[in-house]
Each structure stands twice: as C-alpha cells, then as structure tokens.
C-alpha cells in the first residue's frame, strides 16, 4: 500500500538553527513527493516537490531530495527564521488521483 | 485569482442537523477533493472527484455525501451531523486527473463544530 511516515513533533528550534524533518514512504510504482506547509489558521500550500528519484526540490531556503534507495524525502533548512513556524506535511502521489499525507510536524522557532 | 474558495469558514451545528460545505475553484482543474483535519491524524480523504460527473470514496466517507455540480464546484453534505464530525474541512483541486506530478491547491478551510 501507500503511506507516509514523518517524524513526530513538536519541534522547537532557536532562530538560525539547522532544521531536519524526516519523512519516509512506502508506495507502489514511482510516486511524486511533496512537502506542504500550513501556517496558523490557513490552508496547506505547496512548499516543494520532486517527481523522480534523485530530484531535489527547493524553495524559500528549504530543500528535500527524493531518495528511492532509502524511500525518504527529508526536509532541511540551513537557518530557520521565526516566520518558518508552521506545521509541515510530507505527502506522496502515486499513479492515479490520490494523495497520501503524513500526520504533520509542528515547528516553532524562537528568537 | 481566487484559487479554491470554501464556504462557510465557521459553522456550529447541533447533533442531527444537516449542512452543506461549498467549494469552488477557478483554475479549470479536473480533480477535486474533500479532506478533514484532526489533531494528531493529519489529513484524511473523505471523497474525491477525478473529473466532472464522477465521485469516489476516500478513507473516511461514512456520514458524508458529495456532489460534483460542475467542473468548478464540489460540495460536501452532512445529512445528520455527529460530534465525531467536529473537524476542519479542506477542499482541494488538482490540474489533471491521473497525473501524479501535479500539486494540490487547498482552500482556507471550514471549521465545523457539532454540539
């Protein structure tokens, strides 16, 4: 089957710290992988995506690399800011119409 | 460009009442989705519509019905609300049915409380 497992939160970091949020997946075929971000009181918005193995998605200083050999898509940022405080969701889309989301990781960045 | 618009944003119901959540997208997307978000459980798919005229059950369809009114609109109906349906509901749309590289675009959510 298809599923996404991401690290439990909440995560609290100081400003300018390095961020890693782990995400692993199980899937049939060759899925596309996504990271979404949800700011308080808002809907989810796409942060980055990768559509095939070894692709690196990047946006707003965040990066994630599609690793087929380890079935992972870990989110990283070298220096977080207070404005990065949000909930982050890893997701996959196998062939077909459905998306599968992880349970979300809450990040709080303190000044 | 409005994107995905959901109404209402907030609603309080009593057990047994009915209501419909409305969703419209102006991006000419084929596929539309309804999710619910509960603490610690991420997003769970209720129903989706791959294209106009088709609907399919997702992970948690019990207690809900949907209508794909046209290409733009996809509504979610609760016929007899229960406290377990207290949640935040998100509508989403996607460019092409069957294409797995396209991203989902989300509305801002509808917060429903059932007393």
């Amino acid at each position: 089957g298809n599923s996404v497992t991401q690290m439990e939160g909440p995560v609290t970091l100081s400003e300018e710290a390095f961020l890693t949020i782990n995400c692993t997946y199980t899937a049939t075929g060759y899925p596309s992988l996504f990271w979404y971000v949800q700011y308080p009181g808002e809907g989810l918005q796409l942060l980055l995506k990768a559509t095939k193995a070894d692709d690196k998605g990047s946006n707003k200083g965040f990066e994630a690399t599609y690793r087929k050999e380890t079935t992972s898509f870990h989110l990283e940022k070298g220096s977080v800011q207070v404005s990065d405080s949000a909930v982050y969701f890893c997701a996959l889309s196998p062939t077909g119409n459905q998306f599968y989301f992880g349970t979300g990781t809450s990040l709080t960045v303190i000044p | 460009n409005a994107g995905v618009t959901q109404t209402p944003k907030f609603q309080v119901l009593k057990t047994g009442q009915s209501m419909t959540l409305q969703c419209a997208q102006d991006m000419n997307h084929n596929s539309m989705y309804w999710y619910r978000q509960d603490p610690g459980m991420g997003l769970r798919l209720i129903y989706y519509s791959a294209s106009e005229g088709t609907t399919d059950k997702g992970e948690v369809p019990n207690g809900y019905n949907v209508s794909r009114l046209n290409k733009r609109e996809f509504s979610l109906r609760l016929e007899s609300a229960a406290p377990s349906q207290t949640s935040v509901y998100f509508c989403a749309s996607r460019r092409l049915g069957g294409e797995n590289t396209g991203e989902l675009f989300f509305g801002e959510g509808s917060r429903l409380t059932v007393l």
Side-chain angles (χ1 to χ4, degrees):
Chain A
N2 299 291
S3 67
V4 175
T5 303
Q6 62 180 105
M7 65 185 278
E8 298 271 337
V11 174
T12 302
L13 295 173
S14 297
E15 205 165 23
E16 299 184 2
F18 184 85
L19 169 71
T20 299
I21 301 177
N22 289 338
C23 172
T24 57
Y25 68 91
T26 57
T28 53
Y30 301 94
S32 292
L33 301 173
F34 304 81
W35 277 101
Y36 280 83
V37 58
Q38 184 181 31
Y39 298 104
E42 298 184 10
L44 281 72
Q45 54 187 277
L46 180 70
L47 181 59
L48 54 84
K49 71 177 185 180
T51 59
K52 59 183 186 297
D54 299 325
D55 269 1
K56 178 185 284 188
S58 61
N59 186 26
K60 300 181 181 179
F62 291 90
E63 294 183 339
T65 301
Y66 189 160
R67 301 285 189 200
K68 190 165 174 61
E69 64 276 12
T70 54
T71 62
S72 65
F73 193 54
H74 305 320
L75 183 69
E76 297 182 335
K77 187 175 186 182
S79 177
V80 294
Q81 305 301 312
V82 172
S83 56
D84 294 326
S85 298
V87 180
Y88 293 82
F89 292 90
C90 186
L92 72 85
S93 178
T95 54
N97 278 295
Q98 294 207 28
F99 264 69
Y100 297 85
F101 286 87
T103 53
T105 302
S106 176
L107 170 67
T108 301
V109 180
I110 54 177
Chain B
N1 210 351
V4 179
T5 304
Q6 294 180 229
T7 56
K9 288 189 168 38
F10 301 93
Q11 184 73 47
V12 178
L13 293 176
K14 295 181 180 177
T15 296
Q17 288 184 317
S18 62
M19 77 158 297
T20 300
L21 299 175
Q22 307 285 356
C23 176
Q25 52 90 12
D26 61 3
M27 296 174 283
N28 201 35
H29 286 170
N30 285 0
S31 300
M32 298 186 72
Y33 304 76
W34 277 106
Y35 288 90
R36 59 178 289 172
Q37 183 180 30
D38 302 293
M41 304 194 74
L43 277 81
R44 293 182 292 170
L45 181 64
I46 305 171
Y47 272 93
Y48 68 101
S49 170
S51 60
E52 188 177 352
T54 68
T55 60
D56 286 286
K57 295 179 181 178
E59 181 184 356
V60 288
N62 291 345
Y64 304 95
N65 287 302
V66 290
S67 295
R68 184 73 183 267
L69 304 171
N70 48 54
K71 190 171 186 178
R72 289 187 64 247
E73 298 173 288
F74 188 40
S75 63
L76 178 72
R77 183 161 177 84
L78 287 69
E79 290 291 352
S80 179
S84 61
Q85 294 178 305
T86 294
S87 188
V88 181
Y89 292 85
F90 288 99
C91 179
S93 71
R94 191 181 192 189
R95 185 181 304 277
L96 292 175
E99 179 187 281
N100 72 334
T101 61
E103 68 192 81
L104 282 175
F105 290 81
F106 284 86
E108 293 186 347
S110 299
R111 184 175 297 274
L112 174 65
T113 301
V114 183
L115 303 176

